[in-house]
Amino acid sequence: MAFGALHGIRPMVETMPLDRAAEACQRMLSGAARFRMVLTMR
């Protein structure tokens, strides 16, 4: 993690609201999610 912070490397994430959690789960299971799926509270 220190290496990433030192060199400005940031993770690539796909966000989705919590009320669409089922859709996010389906995207992950089907392989359609390109990056990490993160559920947001907003």
Side-chain angles (χ1 to χ4, degrees), residues 24-32:
C25 187
Q26 281 301 106
R27 286 180 56 79
M28 294 222 0
L29 292 175
S30 70

Side-chain angles (χ1 to χ4, degrees), residues 1-11:
M1 287 179 54
F3 178 84
L6 182 64
H7 295 282
I9 300 170
R10 305 284 302 176

Side-chain angles (χ1 to χ4, degrees), residues 4-41:
L6 182 64
H7 295 282
I9 300 170
R10 305 284 302 176
M12 298 174 80
V13 298
E14 185 175 342
T15 61
M16 195 167 287
L18 185 59
D19 61 343
R20 293 175 56 195
E23 181 183 343
C25 187
Q26 281 301 106
R27 286 180 56 79
M28 294 222 0
L29 292 175
S30 70
R34 294 185 60 206
F35 310 111
R36 293 183 183 268
M37 292 294 297
V38 176
L39 298 174
T40 61
M41 299 296 283

